[in-house]
Amino acid sequence: MKPEATDKPLIEIRNLRKRFGTIEVLKGIDLAIHRSEVLCVIGPSGSGKSTLLRSIAFLEAYDEGSVTFEDRLIGYREENGRRRRAGERELNADRSGFGMVFQHFHLWPHMSVMENVTEALRVVKALGRAEAEQIGREMLDKVGIAAHAAKYPEQLSGGQKQRVAIARALAMKPRVMLFDEPTSALDPELVGEVLAVMKQLAQEGMTMMVVTHEMGFAAHVADTVVFMDQGRIVERGDPGATFADPKSDRLRQFLNTWRERSI
Amino acid sequence: MSFIETYTPLLLSGLWATIRICFLATLLALPLGLGVTLLLRRPGRALPALARLYVEVMRGTPILVVLFLLYYGGPSIGLVLEAEPVGILGLGLYGAGYFAEIFRAGLQSIPQGQREAARMLGIPSWRILLRIELPQMLRLVTPPVINQIIVLIKESAALSIITVAELTKIGAQIANETFAVIEPYLAVALLYWLLIELIALAGHWLERKAKHG
Ligand SMILES: Nc1ncnc2c1ncn2[C@@H]1O[C@H](COP(=O)(O)OP(=O)(O)OP(=O)(O)O)[C@@H](O)[C@H]1O
Ligand SMILES: [Mg+2]
């Protein structure tokens, strides 16, 4: 789905800066994500892709700039012109529109698949067991894992685990899904099943920001591709033009390296 | 042998005292140790520093010195207790320092991403602790906790010095009365060994149970 240029963005990122110690990892990022847009972030290792995603979700506290979700500042409160960190409850409210999927799934190993998916529904939304499990089954169905609801994470393949993790995030009805290299920890033959679920989500109109090394996915599913290098966005645009005719040497180099590797 | 007949009731009373003291001390030390571990993770500097200091002091002080301080120094701060409660308190405070270290390591070995996933879903931190961290941590720490309980049982022999009538004290008392040294202390050693084997067995059973859900 193409975002309309006139639409107000769902997420706006302005001059975002993040340091780890003295090293600046994000050097002033400006980015907007529109409703139903699928935005893929590509770039070499260490360029700051994960840090960007984690700063948007406020898993890392950014140092300067702002991230807003529907005009709501994420992670900070501004009072009398000063900023203070949001407290836990405030932060939970800020994040309630976000769903996040990690490279290494991070399922809770002592809980069954169904418990993983329903835990937050029961705790955060205070749903009863039956109601939570009904939503849980719907979500597991959506990612094609319903048959494994009673199993434990260790009994699943990597692709199945990641699909459970997606179902877990979806159960909370997020407005935007953030993916950090969701297929990078998977055996090659399992990548497809996860990408298929993500593609389906995109087609249903989910707003998605995906850090990925899967150029095929970026080319076919993304509305916008963002290329990062050394803490900056070097290039952005629709995938067709960006991949076919990179403006910067760095992106050209990056794509060439990728093409050589994938032959 | 008449030695056994004569002294079995006394030895058993000593064994019972050791079991009672160690049980109560462990009951005190486990939640206290967990409390110290949780302080380590509080925001700010003061509380974590306090918790670290506690662990360092308990690890750096012989149990006997802890007991002397409580027993002889206690009254000067208004803490007047009989020998056995002092022993339980001392052993409990001492054990808490070690349990805190075990718990800290246990929590640390749970991947950070599991907490982040929970936070992204809006789960409050106390629920994360209760439902996600503690169940996994308890499984992980069962072997070292059992091991530490065994160490505490052996350390409890030091309570004999502040006149608690636990197993070692009873052994010394019998040795005094009979002028026999080998038999009473062999009997004492055997009883400690039995107790510790029993704890170790219980530990293995717990571990196996934890593994199979
Ligand atoms: N918690 C941290 N503390 C210190 N430095 C960090 C931390 N997290 C990331 N960095 C550094 O920040 C830089 C950007 O890291 P980031 O993980 O965002 O890169 P990335 O683009 O996601 O790379 P990759 O493709 O390897 O995942 C790297 O140099 C990394 O070493
Ligand atoms: Mg990364």
Side-chain angles (χ1 to χ4, degrees), chain B residues 12-24:
Chain B
L12 287 182
S13 83
L15 177 65
W16 168 238
T18 291
I19 292 173
R20 183 177 63 224
I21 288 162
C22 290
F23 177 76
L24 291 173

Side-chain angles (χ1 to χ4, degrees), chain A:
Chain A
M1 245 168 271
K2 284 280 168 217
E4 296 289 326
T6 53
D7 263 2
K8 192 153 177 45
L10 187 61
I11 298 178
E12 274 193 283
I13 299 154
R14 290 210 188 89
N15 187 33
L16 188 69
R17 290 175 186 270
K18 172 69 190 170
R19 281 180 294 272
F20 288 114
T22 54
I23 301 164
E24 194 166 42
V25 175
L26 298 180
K27 298 171 181 162
I29 302 283
D30 291 288
L31 190 62
I33 304 163
H34 294 77
R35 271 181 199 79
S36 294
E37 181 175 2
V38 177
L39 187 141
C40 282
V41 183
I42 60 173
S45 181
S47 56
K49 306 180 297 292
S50 296
T51 306
L52 173 59
L53 207 68
R54 292 170 58 79
S55 297
I56 293 171
F58 215 76
L59 287 173
E60 306 286 358
Y62 50 89
D63 298 306
E64 275 174 58
S66 64
V67 176
T68 54
F69 179 85
E70 291 187 325
D71 292 329
R72 177 187 187 134
L73 184 65
I74 301 293
Y76 291 104
R77 291 293 175 275
E78 278 169 345
E79 287 159 1
N80 325 319
R82 301 190 71 198
R83 247 183 202 190
R84 68 164 174 83
R85 282 277 282 276
E88 185 180 323
R89 275 158 173 268
E90 293 169 322
L91 200 49
N92 281 339
D94 290 357
R95 285 185 184 133
S96 61
F98 295 141
M100 185 136 175
V101 174
F102 303 84
Q103 182 176 355
H104 295 288
F105 333 125
H106 298 315
L107 298 178
W108 305 307
H110 59 300
M111 293 185 189
S112 72
V113 164
M114 181 56 92
E115 286 167 335
N116 266 275
V117 177
T118 54
E119 177 69 12
L121 290 170
R122 307 216 38 201
V123 175
V124 181
K125 299 210 166 158
L127 297 188
R129 190 195 177 107
E131 213 178 335
E133 290 194 348
Q134 192 186 329
I135 297 174
R137 255 188 307 276
E138 265 170 51
M139 295 303 142
L140 289 173
D141 226 11
K142 199 179 173 74
V143 300
I145 296 279
H148 304 292
K151 288 190 179 166
Y152 283 80
E154 64 176 10
Q155 296 169 281
L156 303 180
S157 73
Q160 290 171 328
K161 282 185 207 172
Q162 194 59 297
R163 286 187 281 152
V164 173
I166 293 172
R168 177 175 67 176
L170 289 177
M172 295 301 281
K173 298 270 182 291
R175 310 275 309 282
V176 54
M177 286 284 284
L178 309 173
F179 294 85
D180 191 1
E181 300 200 31
T183 58
S184 295
L186 301 179
D187 293 334
E189 74 272 20
L190 303 177
V191 168
E193 62 189 64
V194 172
L195 292 181
V197 167
M198 292 170 60
K199 194 170 173 180
Q200 180 200 331
L201 267 182
Q203 281 163 353
E204 289 169 8
M206 176 63 80
T207 310
M208 295 165 60
M209 179 165 172
V210 186
V211 173
T212 187
H213 290 292
E214 293 294 331
M215 297 303 158
F217 180 83
H220 291 114
V221 184
D223 301 300
T224 312
V225 173
V226 165
F227 172 65
M228 279 184 75
D229 192 27
Q230 297 181 18
R232 288 197 174 86
I233 293 180
V234 177
E235 209 166 323
R236 66 183 92 201
D238 73 272
T242 309
F243 287 145
D245 181 24
K247 303 272 176 293
S248 63
D249 288 342
R250 280 187 279 178
L251 177 54
R252 197 168 304 129
Q253 242 171 40
F254 177 77
L255 292 173
N256 282 340
T257 312
W258 177 77
R259 283 191 192 105
E260 279 162 25
R261 262 198 224 126
S262 49
I263 289 171

